[in-house]
């Protein structure tokens, strides 16, 4: 990481645990300050923030539901007013509600689309113009291999994650002239508390590397896309999936 990474802040949504926490910690080790986000679990967000500070970087916590457009806008606009435009945003917050589509409740569909896809808009909308005025920055959108190939039992999740890929590609076109890159990372079967035993047993034999991934391996891909070395990469989708796609 070059010296001009100093005093750059990256907002990482959903960074109180799992992949989001791994991303936040890796970016802190790379020299970035982090705006840690959680919906409601402030205790876990504080743990992430403490680890960031142990790595020698500053951390602050934003708490809001990405589904709540007004709350997201207020929290982000207030944070930008206090600390300036973000260097980067990692749109990571998401949920899954797996099951066959025939068995879905309406909320199984609506909650996943509102969180995973609408949340992208709700978070990015207040970030875009401050970043554009600075004429530099990075956006990484966390999609999934489910958004590339579609996954049985995840029609809602696959729809949302495929939508994120389309949104990232379109936004990349809009922001390229402003010096802002927009890319997507598509994790496969990663060892987090979102993995079910059914998914593990079904998907693991399909992975050429025959193992699950680690959150730190996803974080490494995000860190590269946030780095100066990735300044000419935009509209890309990078799977971190052991050869699954």
């Amino acid at each position: 990481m070059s010296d001009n990474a100093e005093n750059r802040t990256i907002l990482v949504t959903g960074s109180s645990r799992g992949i989001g926490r791994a991303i936040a910690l890796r970016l802190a080790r790379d020299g970035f300050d982090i705006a840690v986000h959680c919906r409601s679990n402030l205790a876990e967000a504080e743990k992430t923030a403490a680890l960031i500070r142990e790595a020698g970087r500053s951390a602050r916590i934003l708490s809001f539901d990405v589904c709540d457009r007004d709350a997201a806008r207020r929290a982000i606009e207030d944070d930008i007013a206090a600390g300036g435009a973000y260097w980067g945003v990692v749109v990571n917050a998401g949920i899954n509600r797996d099951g066959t589509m025939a068995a879905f409740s309406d909320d199984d569909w609506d909650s996943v689309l509102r969180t995973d896809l609408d949340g992208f808009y709700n978070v990015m909308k207040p970030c875009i113009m401050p970043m554009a005025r600075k004429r530099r920055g990075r956006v990484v959108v966390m999609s999934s291999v489910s958004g590339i190939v579609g996954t049985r039992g995840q029609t809602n999740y696959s729809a949302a994650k495929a939508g994120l890929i389309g949104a990232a590609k379109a936004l990349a076109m809009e922001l390229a002239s402003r010096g802002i890159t927009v890319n997507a990372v598509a994790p496969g079967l990663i060892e987090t508390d979102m993995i079910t035993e059914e998914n593990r047993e079904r998907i693991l034999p399909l992975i050429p590397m025959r193992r699950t991934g680690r959150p730190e391996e996803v974080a490494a891909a995000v860190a590269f896309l946030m780095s100066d070395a990735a300044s000419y990469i935009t509209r890309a989708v990078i799977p971190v999936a052991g050869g699954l796609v």
Side-chain angles (χ1 to χ4, degrees):
M1 185 65 60
S2 65
D3 289 340
N4 64 359
E6 294 299 318
N7 300 318
R8 291 178 178 175
T9 298
I10 296 175
L11 168 64
V12 184
T13 66
S15 47
S16 63
R17 60 190 179 92
I19 290 174
R21 175 180 282 175
I23 291 169
L25 296 182
R26 171 59 190 265
L27 292 173
R29 288 196 296 271
D30 284 355
F32 292 100
D33 297 325
I34 306 296
V36 176
H37 163 263
C38 69
R39 183 180 65 178
S40 58
N41 197 337
L42 286 169
E44 289 300 314
E46 288 287 1
K47 289 180 184 177
T48 301
L51 291 168
I52 290 165
R53 293 173 190 129
E54 286 177 13
R57 304 308 306 178
S58 71
R60 56 187 185 267
I61 296 173
L62 283 68
S63 179
F64 59 86
D65 186 343
V66 297
C67 299
D68 187 333
R69 186 164 297 160
D70 289 339
R73 180 176 292 121
R74 284 194 303 271
I76 292 170
E77 286 180 348
D78 287 351
D79 194 54
I80 291 172
Y86 301 124
W87 161 254
V89 181
V90 182
V91 182
N92 170 73
I95 63 170
N96 63 332
R97 297 277 185 86
D98 293 353
T100 63
M101 187 167 177
F104 280 169
S105 67
D106 289 347
D107 187 60
D108 288 334
W109 179 269
D110 292 341
S111 61
V112 170
L113 270 291
R114 281 198 303 264
T115 303
D116 295 17
L117 187 54
D118 290 353
F120 163 84
Y121 175 84
N122 297 343
V123 167
M124 285 308 307
K125 185 64 163 61
C127 294
I128 288 172
M129 287 311 299
M131 292 176 70
R133 283 191 285 269
K134 294 289 186 180
R135 302 189 72 86
R136 87 289 184 272
R138 304 276 189 271
V139 177
V140 176
V141 179
M142 300 305 295
S143 181
S144 167
V145 295
S146 294
I148 298 174
V149 300
T151 301
R152 178 181 177 274
Q154 291 191 321
T155 306
N156 50 0
Y157 189 72
S158 295
K161 294 299 187 177
L164 286 173
I165 289 173
K169 285 178 173 285
L171 187 61
M173 294 289 285
E174 295 177 9
L175 297 181
S177 65
R178 298 285 183 167
I180 300 169
T181 67
V182 185
N183 295 287
V185 171
L189 194 65
I190 306 300
E191 201 62 49
T192 71
D193 58 11
M194 290 181 72
I195 291 183
T196 65
E197 282 307 309
E198 189 274 335
N199 280 341
R200 189 193 305 274
E201 292 173 5
R202 179 169 53 84
I203 298 172
L204 198 58
L206 305 176
I207 299 173
M209 292 189 74
R210 293 296 190 272
R211 68 171 178 88
T212 57
R214 301 188 303 275
E216 293 76 14
E217 292 173 308
V218 180
V222 175
F224 169 68
L225 291 172
M226 284 287 172
S227 73
D228 294 340
S231 60
Y232 200 56
I233 299 173
T234 198
R235 294 188 83 207
V237 181
I238 299 179
V240 183
L244 184 59
V245 295

